[in-house]
Amino acid sequence: MKILNPKFEISAVKKSQYPKSNLPEIVLVGKSNVGKSSFINIMINRKSLARTSSEPRKNTSN
Ligand SMILES: Nc1nc2c(ncn2[C@@H]2O[C@H](COP(=O)(O)OP(=O)(O)O)[C@@H](O)[C@H]2O)c(=O)[nH]1
Ligand SMILES: [Mg+2]
């Protein structure tokens, strides 16, 4: 898979905000701090398009 121009579209919280697109979609599921954002950045070859926590186990509630 070759990803050429990744960009952040939206953090949609309701259906009306979902991007209108016919592109294939990928679902990435996992509990907090397992490395979802880090995985996205690796896959798209960017350092921080997806924001990762500064330390393992650190999240918005601590
Ligand atoms: N040791 C280790 N830490 C990782 C790995 N992947 C991510 N992390 C760290 O775990 C923390 C949480 O990662 P993050 O991508 O923000 O998780 P998310 O909450 O699932 O999006 C961050 O501090 C990452 O640097 C990994 O493969 N090994
Ligand atoms: Mg994340």
Side-chain angles (χ1 to χ4, degrees):
M1 181 167 55
K2 202 168 182 180
I3 299 173
L4 296 175
N5 186 24
K7 65 178 174 66
F8 176 78
E9 189 99 13
I10 191 173
S11 282
V13 294
K14 52 184 177 180
K15 199 173 176 183
S16 61
Q17 298 173 323
Y18 293 173
K20 308 232 175 332
S21 157
N22 294 318
L23 294 171
E25 297 179 5
I26 295 171
V27 178
L28 181 56
V29 186
K31 65 181 194 178
S32 181
N33 264 303
V34 292
K36 300 180 299 295
S37 299
S38 304
F39 177 78
I40 290 169
N41 288 329
I42 290 286
M43 292 304 287
I44 63 178
N45 197 24
R46 291 287 185 86
K47 273 207 169 67
S48 58
L49 187 68
R51 288 191 193 147
T52 60
S53 55
S54 53
E55 299 164 36
R57 295 177 297 279
K58 186 172 179 181
N59 59 39
T60 48
S61 57
N62 59 14

PDB file of all heavy atoms in Angstrom, residues 18-51:
ATOM      1  N   TYR A  18     -19.817  12.785   9.026  1.00  0.00           N
ATOM      2  CA  TYR A  18     -18.985  11.797   8.337  1.00  0.00           C
ATOM      3  C   TYR A  18     -18.596  12.320   6.958  1.00  0.00           C
ATOM      4  O   TYR A  18     -19.445  12.853   6.230  1.00  0.00           O
ATOM      5  CB  TYR A  18     -19.733  10.465   8.178  1.00  0.00           C
ATOM      6  CG  TYR A  18     -20.013   9.725   9.463  1.00  0.00           C
ATOM      7  CD1 TYR A  18     -20.803   8.588   9.449  1.00  0.00           C
ATOM      8  CD2 TYR A  18     -19.503  10.167  10.686  1.00  0.00           C
ATOM      9  CE1 TYR A  18     -21.079   7.902  10.628  1.00  0.00           C
ATOM     10  CE2 TYR A  18     -19.785   9.486  11.853  1.00  0.00           C
ATOM     11  CZ  TYR A  18     -20.573   8.362  11.827  1.00  0.00           C
ATOM     12  OH  TYR A  18     -20.852   7.684  12.984  1.00  0.00           O
ATOM     13  N   PRO A  19     -17.321  12.176   6.567  1.00  0.00           N
ATOM     14  CA  PRO A  19     -16.886  12.663   5.257  1.00  0.00           C
ATOM     15  C   PRO A  19     -17.642  11.951   4.134  1.00  0.00           C
ATOM     16  O   PRO A  19     -17.895  10.756   4.209  1.00  0.00           O
ATOM     17  CB  PRO A  19     -15.397  12.282   5.220  1.00  0.00           C
ATOM     18  CG  PRO A  19     -14.990  12.145   6.640  1.00  0.00           C
ATOM     19  CD  PRO A  19     -16.214  11.633   7.355  1.00  0.00           C
ATOM     20  N   LYS A  20     -17.999  12.733   3.104  1.00  0.00           N
ATOM     21  CA  LYS A  20     -18.661  12.143   1.939  1.00  0.00           C
ATOM     22  C   LYS A  20     -17.581  11.674   0.976  1.00  0.00           C
ATOM     23  O   LYS A  20     -16.893  12.470   0.365  1.00  0.00           O
ATOM     24  CB  LYS A  20     -19.565  13.169   1.278  1.00  0.00           C
ATOM     25  CG  LYS A  20     -20.515  13.820   2.265  1.00  0.00           C
ATOM     26  CD  LYS A  20     -21.945  13.784   1.835  1.00  0.00           C
ATOM     27  CE  LYS A  20     -22.887  14.339   2.908  1.00  0.00           C
ATOM     28  NZ  LYS A  20     -22.445  14.229   4.324  1.00  0.00           N
ATOM     29  N   SER A  21     -17.414  10.390   0.891  1.00  0.00           N
ATOM     30  CA  SER A  21     -16.327   9.843   0.096  1.00  0.00           C
ATOM     31  C   SER A  21     -16.654   8.422  -0.306  1.00  0.00           C
ATOM     32  O   SER A  21     -17.335   7.705   0.410  1.00  0.00           O
ATOM     33  CB  SER A  21     -15.042   9.875   0.921  1.00  0.00           C
ATOM     34  OG  SER A  21     -14.121   8.926   0.437  1.00  0.00           O
ATOM     35  N   ASN A  22     -16.152   8.009  -1.451  1.00  0.00           N
ATOM     36  CA  ASN A  22     -16.336   6.621  -1.873  1.00  0.00           C
ATOM     37  C   ASN A  22     -15.082   5.794  -1.650  1.00  0.00           C
ATOM     38  O   ASN A  22     -14.987   4.664  -2.121  1.00  0.00           O
ATOM     39  CB  ASN A  22     -16.731   6.565  -3.350  1.00  0.00           C
ATOM     40  CG  ASN A  22     -18.104   7.179  -3.556  1.00  0.00           C
ATOM     41  OD1 ASN A  22     -19.018   6.955  -2.762  1.00  0.00           O
ATOM     42  ND2 ASN A  22     -18.240   7.974  -4.599  1.00  0.00           N
ATOM     43  N   LEU A  23     -14.121   6.369  -0.950  1.00  0.00           N
ATOM     44  CA  LEU A  23     -12.882   5.639  -0.698  1.00  0.00           C
ATOM     45  C   LEU A  23     -13.126   4.492   0.286  1.00  0.00           C
ATOM     46  O   LEU A  23     -14.017   4.561   1.126  1.00  0.00           O
ATOM     47  CB  LEU A  23     -11.829   6.591  -0.105  1.00  0.00           C
ATOM     48  CG  LEU A  23     -11.328   7.699  -1.018  1.00  0.00           C
ATOM     49  CD1 LEU A  23     -10.469   8.689  -0.235  1.00  0.00           C
ATOM     50  CD2 LEU A  23     -10.547   7.105  -2.180  1.00  0.00           C
ATOM     51  N   PRO A  24     -12.314   3.459   0.196  1.00  0.00           N
ATOM     52  CA  PRO A  24     -12.422   2.380   1.190  1.00  0.00           C
ATOM     53  C   PRO A  24     -12.096   2.927   2.579  1.00  0.00           C
ATOM     54  O   PRO A  24     -11.332   3.881   2.716  1.00  0.00           O
ATOM     55  CB  PRO A  24     -11.345   1.376   0.756  1.00  0.00           C
ATOM     56  CG  PRO A  24     -10.845   1.818  -0.548  1.00  0.00           C
ATOM     57  CD  PRO A  24     -11.232   3.235  -0.759  1.00  0.00           C
ATOM     58  N   GLU A  25     -12.685   2.308   3.602  1.00  0.00           N
ATOM     59  CA  GLU A  25     -12.449   2.767   4.968  1.00  0.00           C
ATOM     60  C   GLU A  25     -11.780   1.664   5.783  1.00  0.00           C
ATOM     61  O   GLU A  25     -11.992   0.483   5.541  1.00  0.00           O
ATOM     62  CB  GLU A  25     -13.779   3.157   5.626  1.00  0.00           C
ATOM     63  CG  GLU A  25     -14.440   4.320   4.914  1.00  0.00           C
ATOM     64  CD  GLU A  25     -15.779   4.703   5.538  1.00  0.00           C
ATOM     65  OE1 GLU A  25     -16.142   4.126   6.589  1.00  0.00           O
ATOM     66  OE2 GLU A  25     -16.435   5.576   4.971  1.00  0.00           O
ATOM     67  N   ILE A  26     -10.968   2.091   6.747  1.00  0.00           N
ATOM     68  CA  ILE A  26     -10.295   1.152   7.647  1.00  0.00           C
ATOM     69  C   ILE A  26     -10.724   1.472   9.070  1.00  0.00           C
ATOM     70  O   ILE A  26     -10.717   2.632   9.473  1.00  0.00           O
ATOM     71  CB  ILE A  26      -8.755   1.286   7.525  1.00  0.00           C
ATOM     72  CG1 ILE A  26      -8.303   0.863   6.129  1.00  0.00           C
ATOM     73  CG2 ILE A  26      -8.063   0.453   8.605  1.00  0.00           C
ATOM     74  CD1 ILE A  26      -6.849   1.155   5.853  1.00  0.00           C
ATOM     75  N   VAL A  27     -11.099   0.460   9.808  1.00  0.00           N
ATOM     76  CA  VAL A  27     -11.454   0.650  11.217  1.00  0.00           C
ATOM     77  C   VAL A  27     -10.293   0.170  12.076  1.00  0.00           C
ATOM     78  O   VAL A  27      -9.751  -0.911  11.864  1.00  0.00           O
ATOM     79  CB  VAL A  27     -12.723  -0.150  11.585  1.00  0.00           C
ATOM     80  CG1 VAL A  27     -13.050   0.024  13.065  1.00  0.00           C
ATOM     81  CG2 VAL A  27     -13.893   0.289  10.726  1.00  0.00           C
ATOM     82  N   LEU A  28      -9.907   0.994  13.035  1.00  0.00           N
ATOM     83  CA  LEU A  28      -8.828   0.637  13.942  1.00  0.00           C
ATOM     84  C   LEU A  28      -9.374   0.745  15.363  1.00  0.00           C
ATOM     85  O   LEU A  28      -9.745   1.826  15.807  1.00  0.00           O
ATOM     86  CB  LEU A  28      -7.658   1.605  13.721  1.00  0.00           C
ATOM     87  CG  LEU A  28      -6.394   1.412  14.544  1.00  0.00           C
ATOM     88  CD1 LEU A  28      -5.834   0.016  14.363  1.00  0.00           C
ATOM     89  CD2 LEU A  28      -5.369   2.446  14.127  1.00  0.00           C
ATOM     90  N   VAL A  29      -9.462  -0.375  16.050  1.00  0.00           N
ATOM     91  CA  VAL A  29     -10.095  -0.410  17.368  1.00  0.00           C
ATOM     92  C   VAL A  29      -9.096  -0.888  18.412  1.00  0.00           C
ATOM     93  O   VAL A  29      -8.307  -1.794  18.170  1.00  0.00           O
ATOM     94  CB  VAL A  29     -11.294  -1.388  17.371  1.00  0.00           C
ATOM     95  CG1 VAL A  29     -12.040  -1.324  18.695  1.00  0.00           C
ATOM     96  CG2 VAL A  29     -12.227  -1.091  16.219  1.00  0.00           C
ATOM     97  N   GLY A  30      -9.128  -0.290  19.577  1.00  0.00           N
ATOM     98  CA  GLY A  30      -8.288  -0.763  20.669  1.00  0.00           C
ATOM     99  C   GLY A  30      -8.473   0.147  21.860  1.00  0.00           C
ATOM    100  O   GLY A  30      -8.826   1.313  21.703  1.00  0.00           O
ATOM    101  N   LYS A  31      -8.216  -0.384  23.045  1.00  0.00           N
ATOM    102  CA  LYS A  31      -8.404   0.464  24.219  1.00  0.00           C
ATOM    103  C   LYS A  31      -7.354   1.573  24.250  1.00  0.00           C
ATOM    104  O   LYS A  31      -6.405   1.579  23.459  1.00  0.00           O
ATOM    105  CB  LYS A  31      -8.421  -0.358  25.503  1.00  0.00           C
ATOM    106  CG  LYS A  31      -7.136  -1.045  25.847  1.00  0.00           C
ATOM    107  CD  LYS A  31      -7.358  -1.840  27.150  1.00  0.00           C
ATOM    108  CE  LYS A  31      -6.023  -2.272  27.713  1.00  0.00           C
ATOM    109  NZ  LYS A  31      -6.189  -2.993  28.998  1.00  0.00           N
ATOM    110  N   SER A  32      -7.548   2.498  25.160  1.00  0.00           N
ATOM    111  CA  SER A  32      -6.673   3.655  25.255  1.00  0.00           C
ATOM    112  C   SER A  32      -5.223   3.219  25.471  1.00  0.00           C
ATOM    113  O   SER A  32      -4.954   2.289  26.244  1.00  0.00           O
ATOM    114  CB  SER A  32      -7.144   4.521  26.425  1.00  0.00           C
ATOM    115  OG  SER A  32      -6.334   5.652  26.543  1.00  0.00           O
ATOM    116  N   ASN A  33      -4.306   3.886  24.773  1.00  0.00           N
ATOM    117  CA  ASN A  33      -2.874   3.699  25.013  1.00  0.00           C
ATOM    118  C   ASN A  33      -2.267   2.387  24.520  1.00  0.00           C
ATOM    119  O   ASN A  33      -1.194   1.998  24.982  1.00  0.00           O
ATOM    120  CB  ASN A  33      -2.567   3.814  26.516  1.00  0.00           C
ATOM    121  CG  ASN A  33      -2.129   5.202  26.850  1.00  0.00           C
ATOM    122  OD1 ASN A  33      -1.168   5.693  26.274  1.00  0.00           O
ATOM    123  ND2 ASN A  33      -2.837   5.850  27.737  1.00  0.00           N
ATOM    124  N   VAL A  34      -2.931   1.718  23.619  1.00  0.00           N
ATOM    125  CA  VAL A  34      -2.323   0.498  23.090  1.00  0.00           C
ATOM    126  C   VAL A  34      -1.440   0.787  21.878  1.00  0.00           C
ATOM    127  O   VAL A  34      -0.744  -0.103  21.397  1.00  0.00           O
ATOM    128  CB  VAL A  34      -3.361  -0.577  22.707  1.00  0.00           C
ATOM    129  CG1 VAL A  34      -4.051  -1.126  23.933  1.00  0.00           C
ATOM    130  CG2 VAL A  34      -4.375  -0.046  21.722  1.00  0.00           C
ATOM    131  N   GLY A  35      -1.512   2.026  21.365  1.00  0.00           N
ATOM    132  CA  GLY A  35      -0.651   2.390  20.247  1.00  0.00           C
ATOM    133  C   GLY A  35      -1.377   2.580  18.927  1.00  0.00           C
ATOM    134  O   GLY A  35      -0.759   2.500  17.865  1.00  0.00           O
ATOM    135  N   LYS A  36      -2.669   2.885  18.973  1.00  0.00           N
ATOM    136  CA  LYS A  36      -3.431   3.100  17.733  1.00  0.00           C
ATOM    137  C   LYS A  36      -2.863   4.278  16.943  1.00  0.00           C
ATOM    138  O   LYS A  36      -2.619   4.178  15.740  1.00  0.00           O
ATOM    139  CB  LYS A  36      -4.918   3.361  18.030  1.00  0.00           C
ATOM    140  CG  LYS A  36      -5.635   2.240  18.744  1.00  0.00           C
ATOM    141  CD  LYS A  36      -7.099   2.572  19.010  1.00  0.00           C
ATOM    142  CE  LYS A  36      -7.302   3.799  19.889  1.00  0.00           C
ATOM    143  NZ  LYS A  36      -6.795   3.641  21.274  1.00  0.00           N
ATOM    144  N   SER A  37      -2.670   5.404  17.612  1.00  0.00           N
ATOM    145  CA  SER A  37      -2.177   6.595  16.909  1.00  0.00           C
ATOM    146  C   SER A  37      -0.756   6.370  16.404  1.00  0.00           C
ATOM    147  O   SER A  37      -0.417   6.765  15.281  1.00  0.00           O
ATOM    148  CB  SER A  37      -2.237   7.806  17.841  1.00  0.00           C
ATOM    149  OG  SER A  37      -3.574   8.035  18.230  1.00  0.00           O
ATOM    150  N   SER A  38       0.069   5.731  17.207  1.00  0.00           N
ATOM    151  CA  SER A  38       1.437   5.415  16.778  1.00  0.00           C
ATOM    152  C   SER A  38       1.408   4.515  15.544  1.00  0.00           C
ATOM    153  O   SER A  38       2.195   4.699  14.607  1.00  0.00           O
ATOM    154  CB  SER A  38       2.188   4.703  17.904  1.00  0.00           C
ATOM    155  OG  SER A  38       2.166   5.482  19.076  1.00  0.00           O
ATOM    156  N   PHE A  39       0.515   3.563  15.520  1.00  0.00           N
ATOM    157  CA  PHE A  39       0.369   2.658  14.381  1.00  0.00           C
ATOM    158  C   PHE A  39      -0.008   3.431  13.119  1.00  0.00           C
ATOM    159  O   PHE A  39       0.561   3.214  12.040  1.00  0.00           O
ATOM    160  CB  PHE A  39      -0.688   1.595  14.715  1.00  0.00           C
ATOM    161  CG  PHE A  39      -0.986   0.646  13.596  1.00  0.00           C
ATOM    162  CD1 PHE A  39      -0.124  -0.401  13.316  1.00  0.00           C
ATOM    163  CD2 PHE A  39      -2.124   0.801  12.818  1.00  0.00           C
ATOM    164  CE1 PHE A  39      -0.392  -1.286  12.274  1.00  0.00           C
ATOM    165  CE2 PHE A  39      -2.411  -0.071  11.782  1.00  0.00           C
ATOM    166  CZ  PHE A  39      -1.535  -1.117  11.504  1.00  0.00           C
ATOM    167  N   ILE A  40      -0.946   4.369  13.265  1.00  0.00           N
ATOM    168  CA  ILE A  40      -1.354   5.180  12.110  1.00  0.00           C
ATOM    169  C   ILE A  40      -0.149   5.949  11.574  1.00  0.00           C
ATOM    170  O   ILE A  40       0.113   5.965  10.366  1.00  0.00           O
ATOM    171  CB  ILE A  40      -2.484   6.165  12.507  1.00  0.00           C
ATOM    172  CG1 ILE A  40      -3.779   5.397  12.773  1.00  0.00           C
ATOM    173  CG2 ILE A  40      -2.703   7.219  11.417  1.00  0.00           C
ATOM    174  CD1 ILE A  40      -4.870   6.232  13.433  1.00  0.00           C
ATOM    175  N   ASN A  41       0.609   6.577  12.471  1.00  0.00           N
ATOM    176  CA  ASN A  41       1.761   7.371  12.023  1.00  0.00           C
ATOM    177  C   ASN A  41       2.816   6.515  11.320  1.00  0.00           C
ATOM    178  O   ASN A  41       3.408   6.953  10.320  1.00  0.00           O
ATOM    179  CB  ASN A  41       2.369   8.116  13.207  1.00  0.00           C
ATOM    180  CG  ASN A  41       1.491   9.256  13.669  1.00  0.00           C
ATOM    181  OD1 ASN A  41       0.780   9.860  12.865  1.00  0.00           O
ATOM    182  ND2 ASN A  41       1.531   9.572  14.949  1.00  0.00           N
ATOM    183  N   ILE A  42       3.039   5.317  11.830  1.00  0.00           N
ATOM    184  CA  ILE A  42       3.981   4.408  11.167  1.00  0.00           C
ATOM    185  C   ILE A  42       3.492   4.074   9.759  1.00  0.00           C
ATOM    186  O   ILE A  42       4.249   4.122   8.782  1.00  0.00           O
ATOM    187  CB  ILE A  42       4.154   3.103  11.992  1.00  0.00           C
ATOM    188  CG1 ILE A  42       4.920   3.365  13.280  1.00  0.00           C
ATOM    189  CG2 ILE A  42       4.841   2.032  11.156  1.00  0.00           C
ATOM    190  CD1 ILE A  42       6.404   3.599  13.118  1.00  0.00           C
ATOM    191  N   MET A  43       2.199   3.754   9.658  1.00  0.00           N
ATOM    192  CA  MET A  43       1.652   3.323   8.375  1.00  0.00           C
ATOM    193  C   MET A  43       1.695   4.433   7.318  1.00  0.00           C
ATOM    194  O   MET A  43       1.824   4.162   6.132  1.00  0.00           O
ATOM    195  CB  MET A  43       0.196   2.849   8.534  1.00  0.00           C
ATOM    196  CG  MET A  43       0.034   1.573   9.334  1.00  0.00           C
ATOM    197  SD  MET A  43       0.983   0.199   8.679  1.00  0.00           S
ATOM    198  CE  MET A  43       0.025  -0.193   7.213  1.00  0.00           C
ATOM    199  N   ILE A  44       1.565   5.698   7.759  1.00  0.00           N
ATOM    200  CA  ILE A  44       1.549   6.800   6.793  1.00  0.00           C
ATOM    201  C   ILE A  44       2.891   7.529   6.742  1.00  0.00           C
ATOM    202  O   ILE A  44       3.016   8.556   6.067  1.00  0.00           O
ATOM    203  CB  ILE A  44       0.415   7.809   7.105  1.00  0.00           C
ATOM    204  CG1 ILE A  44       0.633   8.471   8.475  1.00  0.00           C
ATOM    205  CG2 ILE A  44      -0.935   7.104   7.049  1.00  0.00           C
ATOM    206  CD1 ILE A  44      -0.413   9.498   8.827  1.00  0.00           C
ATOM    207  N   ASN A  45       3.865   7.010   7.496  1.00  0.00           N
ATOM    208  CA  ASN A  45       5.207   7.581   7.466  1.00  0.00           C
ATOM    209  C   ASN A  45       5.248   9.053   7.889  1.00  0.00           C
ATOM    210  O   ASN A  45       5.868   9.889   7.233  1.00  0.00           O
ATOM    211  CB  ASN A  45       5.810   7.387   6.067  1.00  0.00           C
ATOM    212  CG  ASN A  45       7.320   7.583   6.072  1.00  0.00           C
ATOM    213  OD1 ASN A  45       7.963   7.424   7.100  1.00  0.00           O
ATOM    214  ND2 ASN A  45       7.869   7.932   4.926  1.00  0.00           N
ATOM    215  N   ARG A  46       4.544   9.361   8.962  1.00  0.00           N
ATOM    216  CA  ARG A  46       4.554  10.712   9.523  1.00  0.00           C
ATOM    217  C   ARG A  46       4.850  10.621  11.013  1.00  0.00           C
ATOM    218  O   ARG A  46       4.489   9.641  11.659  1.00  0.00           O
ATOM    219  CB  ARG A  46       3.186  11.401   9.353  1.00  0.00           C
ATOM    220  CG  ARG A  46       2.834  11.737   7.934  1.00  0.00           C
ATOM    221  CD  ARG A  46       3.660  12.913   7.447  1.00  0.00           C
ATOM    222  NE  ARG A  46       3.244  13.322   6.121  1.00  0.00           N
ATOM    223  CZ  ARG A  46       2.250  14.161   5.883  1.00  0.00           C
ATOM    224  NH1 ARG A  46       1.556  14.676   6.890  1.00  0.00           N
ATOM    225  NH2 ARG A  46       1.938  14.488   4.657  1.00  0.00           N
ATOM    226  N   LYS A  47       5.436  11.669  11.549  1.00  0.00           N
ATOM    227  CA  LYS A  47       5.777  11.634  12.976  1.00  0.00           C
ATOM    228  C   LYS A  47       4.565  11.848  13.874  1.00  0.00           C
ATOM    229  O   LYS A  47       4.422  11.202  14.903  1.00  0.00           O
ATOM    230  CB  LYS A  47       6.834  12.697  13.289  1.00  0.00           C
ATOM    231  CG  LYS A  47       8.248  12.218  13.071  1.00  0.00           C
ATOM    232  CD  LYS A  47       9.204  12.994  13.985  1.00  0.00           C
ATOM    233  CE  LYS A  47      10.587  12.391  14.016  1.00  0.00           C
ATOM    234  NZ  LYS A  47      11.272  12.509  12.721  1.00  0.00           N
ATOM    235  N   SER A  48       3.711  12.785  13.480  1.00  0.00           N
ATOM    236  CA  SER A  48       2.616  13.097  14.404  1.00  0.00           C
ATOM    237  C   SER A  48       1.355  13.618  13.724  1.00  0.00           C
ATOM    238  O   SER A  48       0.746  14.569  14.192  1.00  0.00           O
ATOM    239  CB  SER A  48       3.087  14.109  15.442  1.00  0.00           C
ATOM    240  OG  SER A  48       3.546  15.280  14.801  1.00  0.00           O
ATOM    241  N   LEU A  49       0.969  13.008  12.616  1.00  0.00           N
ATOM    242  CA  LEU A  49      -0.335  13.380  12.054  1.00  0.00           C
ATOM    243  C   LEU A  49      -1.428  12.941  13.032  1.00  0.00           C
ATOM    244  O   LEU A  49      -2.354  13.684  13.327  1.00  0.00           O
ATOM    245  CB  LEU A  49      -0.553  12.734  10.683  1.00  0.00           C
ATOM    246  CG  LEU A  49      -1.811  13.187   9.953  1.00  0.00           C
ATOM    247  CD1 LEU A  49      -1.705  14.641   9.528  1.00  0.00           C
ATOM    248  CD2 LEU A  49      -2.090  12.334   8.731  1.00  0.00           C
ATOM    249  N   ALA A  50      -1.281  11.724  13.535  1.00  0.00           N
ATOM    250  CA  ALA A  50      -2.143  11.276  14.638  1.00  0.00           C
ATOM    251  C   ALA A  50      -1.416  11.588  15.932  1.00  0.00           C
ATOM    252  O   ALA A  50      -0.248  11.237  16.094  1.00  0.00           O
ATOM    253  CB  ALA A  50      -2.418   9.781  14.520  1.00  0.00           C
ATOM    254  N   ARG A  51      -2.080  12.250  16.848  1.00  0.00           N
ATOM    255  CA  ARG A  51      -1.403  12.649  18.091  1.00  0.00           C
ATOM    256  C   ARG A  51      -1.289  11.475  19.043  1.00  0.00           C
ATOM    257  O   ARG A  51      -2.265  10.794  19.319  1.00  0.00           O
ATOM    258  CB  ARG A  51      -2.171  13.792  18.754  1.00  0.00           C
ATOM    259  CG  ARG A  51      -1.987  15.054  17.953  1.00  0.00           C
ATOM    260  CD  ARG A  51      -2.480  16.275  18.665  1.00  0.00           C
ATOM    261  NE  ARG A  51      -2.536  17.362  17.692  1.00  0.00           N
ATOM    262  CZ  ARG A  51      -3.418  18.340  17.700  1.00  0.00           C
ATOM    263  NH1 ARG A  51      -4.331  18.374  18.642  1.00  0.00           N
ATOM    264  NH2 ARG A  51      -3.383  19.267  16.779  1.00  0.00           N
TER     265      ARG A  51
END
